[in-house]
Amino acid sequence: MRVEQIAVFLENKSGRLAEITAKLAEENINIRALSVADTADFGILRLIVDDVEKAKTTLKSNGFTVSVTNVIAVEVADKTGGLAGVLKTIEEEKLNVEYMYAFVNQSGENAVLIFRFDDMDKAIEALQRTGYAILSGEEICSL
Amino acid sequence: MTLYWEEEIETLPRVGLESIQLKRLQHLVARVYKTVAPYREKMDAAGVKPKDIQSLADLTKLPFTVKEDLRDNYPFGLFTVPMDQVVRVHASSGTTGKPTVVGYTKKDIKTWSGLMARALTCAGATSSDMIHNAYGYGLFTGGLGAHYGIERLGATVIPVSGGNTKRQITIMKDFKSSVLLATPSYALNLAETMNALGVDPKSLSLRVGVFGAEPWSENMRDEVERKLNIKAVDIYGLSEVIGPGVAMQCLEGEKGLHIFEDHFLPEIIDPDTGEVLPLGEKGELVFTTLTKEAFPIIRYRTKDITRLLYDECACGRTMVRMDKVTGRTDDMLIIRGVNVFPSQIEHVLMGTKGVEPHYQIVVNREGNMDTMSVEVEVSEDIFSDEIKTLENLNKRIQMDIKDMLGVSCRVKLVEPKSIQRSEGKAQRVIDNRNL
Ligand SMILES: [Zn+2]
């Protein structure tokens, strides 16, 4: 029920993001979701890809610092209130969000929210109990 | 006309000076051999006894003392008197965390104050002066060392220490400070602040500045002299030897600092072989103290690079002059008057995460202030996918460095391999200051 996410350390230098996406494209790795969190000096690129192992090896061999972490992917209808509903549940269940980002799947009907919680097990249990669809890695890649 | 503090000794013909030096050296070696086991062991290992010192040239028979010897005997192991005779200690930062501790008896403080008074007199200061002492007070020898010398001279000391630059300028104006004691970079900082506040240095009573505790170039001297409308002279000292007042530039001489040879015996050696170099050649400066009681030191390697000038000086002093220090034999940096060794930064980084990251220290002079930034490569060991974690890491390194060194710095996390390596070894220090 968890999805593996790749995180890459980036200095805030122009062109680094383009370089990473190009390297992954060369290896036919498909990026399903991407987010950059940054400060004045550095950033963290987070990626959901279809081949985690290959992406990790590729980036490492190109000199990047890479880590693999587990995140939770929640599918919601891409309409007003879709996100609000999940956030309400999170608040009611007192779940702590470390970070989150979202993407819309290709059909455009559903949005996928990617979450990192401080207590992942508790979050999975709570979201499932309140009726949310939690996607696996394969499911995200086949969307 | 030249002012002297102790004219007779300061202008003594060299033959007379050398005979005093030899007597004091023999006495020192005998006393140290008798009272300090680490010195005795080193001399025994080198096969030399106090009676072997028959001339000043015999000094070379004695083993060197290095900073590590001080660390190995931390804190008081090299003191030659019982602690109840020690009236003060000072300390400076060591290379790996432990500071270097030195001690003084009542008589040592008297000697030191006299030497500082002599140094201030070299700079033309008299008992009528109002002396603005902006050296830091505390464990560092600068503030208190100068303070006691000013009192000994009979001048008025303003113990402002460092910091609060605006208030310092108000004091200078209101108290009519006539002599400034500071690090040269702080002097420039004062000049800039005056400019910003619209204070004309010509409206002040400042006449001369006595600057030391960090390396500074001739260009910087010109700048300080122009911006503060004063004469800027150089003072040299290090805590292991006594503190400020080991050597002092005179107003009359073109260049160089008179070493107070009746108390400190200088040598210039080849830093690689340890051989004494021919007169006038550039090398590492080595000192033997001749009169100190609590913490004498024999052939201490300062790691400062300079040469000795034996030509006559216009001021009439016969004591040898040393050139402005032009460099170091080790990788020590002086940031805003504080000694910083790259190994100390490494120590902090190791302590922070238990791993040895690749890092680089970049030193710049922004405006007139030295700034240090430490770039740390983010390896997998310290990487996190959360911004908060990395920011906390950054802050912690910054705080630990500030705690350990007393110098604030900027920490920048950088990508792996962004720090240049030559032959696989990272270049640890980039010093962009033109010293
Ligand atoms: Zn002179």
Side-chain angles (χ1 to χ4, degrees):
Chain A
M1 279 300 133
R2 295 176 185 209
V3 177
E4 286 192 321
Q5 166 199 263
I6 293 215
V8 188
F9 180 81
L10 288 181
E11 267 176 73
N12 288 349
K13 290 192 287 204
S14 60
R16 296 301 271 162
L17 190 56
E19 211 181 314
I20 290 179
T21 49
K23 293 276 186 261
L24 294 177
E26 270 169 36
E27 299 294 324
N28 294 316
I29 296 163
N30 194 0
I31 301 172
R32 296 295 311 171
L34 171 158
S35 119
V36 180
D38 61 1
T39 68
D41 284 336
F42 66 86
I44 297 169
L45 169 68
R46 304 178 184 124
L47 296 166
I48 307 284
V49 295
D50 58 356
D51 191 337
V52 173
E53 267 317 301
K54 199 167 163 196
K56 188 177 157 187
T57 323
T58 304
L59 292 173
K60 273 181 118 170
S61 65
N62 279 286
F64 288 97
T65 297
V66 180
S67 75
V68 176
T69 26
N70 288 315
V71 290
I72 297 174
V74 183
E75 195 177 19
V76 294
D78 185 25
K79 59 178 190 198
T80 319
L83 174 62
V86 182
L87 294 179
K88 191 157 170 278
T89 305
I90 288 171
E91 202 192 314
E92 282 166 2
E93 299 288 334
K94 295 193 166 55
L95 302 174
N96 253 330
V97 179
E98 300 287 2
Y99 55 81
M100 71 151 293
Y101 52 99
F103 68 101
V104 176
N105 74 17
Q106 275 152 353
S107 71
E109 284 163 15
N110 288 332
V112 177
L113 306 175
I114 307 286
F115 285 101
R116 170 81 193 174
F117 294 99
D118 68 343
D119 188 337
M120 297 285 277
D121 293 333
K122 188 178 157 197
I124 292 170
E125 187 276 321
L127 288 165
Q128 279 179 333
R129 178 159 42 75
T130 47
Y132 285 96
I134 295 183
L135 304 181
S136 66
E138 295 81 50
E139 283 169 317
I140 286 189
C141 294
S142 62
L143 277 176
Chain B
M1 207 189 82
T2 306
L3 286 175
Y4 302 102
W5 178 249
E6 293 151 292
E7 181 166 359
E8 197 190 329
I9 186 82
E10 287 176 68
T11 59
L12 197 67
R14 292 203 62 86
V15 192
L17 181 64
E18 283 165 12
S19 97
I20 292 175
Q21 287 177 323
L22 178 61
K23 243 178 262 156
R24 290 181 172 176
L25 178 67
Q26 287 169 327
H27 180 73
L28 165 93
V29 174
R31 190 165 66 86
V32 163
Y33 186 83
K34 206 173 98 189
T35 52
V36 189
Y39 273 117
R40 185 165 53 243
E41 284 154 18
K42 275 177 101 168
M43 282 174 61
D44 285 342
V48 53
K49 297 275 179 256
K51 64 167 172 41
D52 297 328
I53 308 302
Q54 293 299 323
S55 71
L56 287 178
D58 291 333
L59 179 63
T60 58
K61 292 176 179 166
L62 296 167
F64 289 114
T65 305
V66 291
K67 192 146 185 134
E68 290 69 44
D69 293 317
L70 274 65
R71 191 187 60 204
D72 294 345
N73 295 288
Y74 173 87
F76 310 135
L78 294 181
F79 287 16
T80 61
V81 298
M83 286 311 284
D84 62 358
Q85 289 178 38
V86 174
V87 298
R88 197 196 300 170
V89 291
H90 278 289
S92 65
S93 56
T95 47
T96 52
K98 272 188 192 171
T100 300
V101 184
V102 296
Y104 305 79
T105 62
K106 251 184 201 159
K107 189 174 162 236
D108 288 333
I109 296 288
K110 202 170 161 230
T111 305
W112 188 14
S113 309
L115 289 171
M116 262 314 293
R118 191 195 278 184
L120 290 164
T121 309
C122 270
T126 69
S127 60
S128 329
D129 275 301
M130 183 65 87
I131 304 187
H132 193 97
N133 185 16
Y135 285 118
Y137 280 65
L139 282 176
F140 169 58
T141 48
L144 283 167
H147 181 103
Y148 277 67
I150 299 166
E151 289 190 347
R152 181 70 178 279
L153 179 66
T156 310
V157 58
I158 312 173
V160 287
S161 195
N164 205 339
T165 307
K166 276 187 192 168
R167 191 186 64 179
Q168 297 225 5
I169 292 166
T170 307
I171 288 174
M172 269 183 188
K173 253 194 320 205
D174 297 347
F175 295 10
K176 297 194 165 42
S177 310
S178 53
V179 178
L180 168 66
L181 269 55
T183 60
S185 55
Y186 191 65
L188 281 175
N189 190 4
L190 279 165
E192 295 286 303
T193 311
M194 281 180 201
N195 192 27
L197 296 173
V199 174
D200 180 4
K202 291 197 179 78
S203 72
L204 301 174
S205 311
L206 278 187
R207 184 177 84 244
V208 64
V210 176
F211 303 121
E214 68 183 12
W216 53 311
S217 60
E218 288 300 329
N219 287 341
M220 208 166 157
R221 188 202 302 276
D222 294 344
E223 202 183 339
V224 178
E225 291 191 332
R226 199 178 63 244
K227 287 189 169 163
L228 283 176
N229 190 38
I230 55 171
K231 169 99 181 143
V233 285
D234 216 334
I235 188 165
Y236 176 88
L238 63 169
S239 66
E240 295 90 331
V241 174
I242 199 163
V246 173
M248 179 70 200
Q249 190 193 347
C250 61
L251 285 181
E252 295 80 3
E254 286 294 296
K255 59 177 175 183
L257 297 81
H258 289 283
I259 294 174
F260 296 152
E261 285 180 281
D262 47 337
H263 296 272
F264 313 108
L265 200 52
E267 296 171 90
I268 296 289
I269 62 160
D270 178 331
D272 297 325
T273 63
E275 292 295 317
V276 173
L277 291 172
L279 288 188
E281 270 189 39
K282 203 181 242 193
E284 181 180 347
L285 181 61
V286 170
F287 275 115
T288 300
T289 63
L290 295 174
T291 52
K292 273 175 81 195
E293 287 185 338
F295 186 84
I297 202 158
I298 293 178
R299 301 194 86 199
Y300 182 66
R301 296 185 60 160
T302 65
K303 301 196 173 178
D304 284 328
I305 303 282
T306 187
R307 65 193 170 117
L308 298 180
L309 312 162
Y310 281 95
D311 49 338
E312 264 175 47
C313 185
C315 73
R317 289 181 182 84
T318 47
M319 293 186 188
V320 70
R321 283 172 296 162
M322 59 182 263
D323 224 345
K324 229 173 171 2
V325 170
T326 53
R328 299 269 309 167
T329 63
D330 63 0
D331 52 6
M332 187 180 89
L333 289 161
I334 303 183
I335 314 283
R336 301 197 285 276
V338 177
N339 298 351
V340 172
F341 292 92
S343 57
Q344 290 174 306
I345 306 273
E346 200 163 302
H347 196 70
V348 168
L349 294 175
M350 298 269 292
T352 308
K353 261 311 196 184
V355 288
E356 192 201 325
H358 279 289
Y359 68 94
Q360 187 166 57
I361 302 164
V362 182
V363 187
N364 282 300
R365 184 155 277 164
E366 287 167 17
N368 298 311
M369 287 301 277
D370 293 338
T371 59
M372 174 169 73
S373 69
V374 178
E375 298 186 349
V376 182
E377 285 187 0
V378 173
S379 63
E380 276 176 37
D381 302 309
I382 62 177
F383 181 49
S384 155
D385 64 324
E386 288 172 31
I387 292 275
K388 194 174 61 187
T389 313
L390 290 181
E391 281 189 324
N392 287 343
L393 173 71
N394 189 316
K395 271 186 216 139
R396 199 175 133 205
I397 296 172
Q398 219 162 310
M399 270 166 40
D400 289 352
I401 290 175
K402 167 92 194 174
D403 275 356
M404 175 152 179
L405 304 175
V407 162
S408 51
C409 74
R410 188 170 170 266
V411 172
K412 189 173 180 229
L413 301 176
V414 298
E415 285 174 22
K417 308 280 182 292
S418 37
I419 293 168
Q420 277 186 11
R421 290 161 172 80
S422 54
E423 291 158 20
K425 217 175 158 248
Q427 195 185 342
R428 289 297 179 215
V429 178
I430 300 213
D431 195 340
N432 294 319
R433 298 172 294 181
N434 286 318
L435 295 175

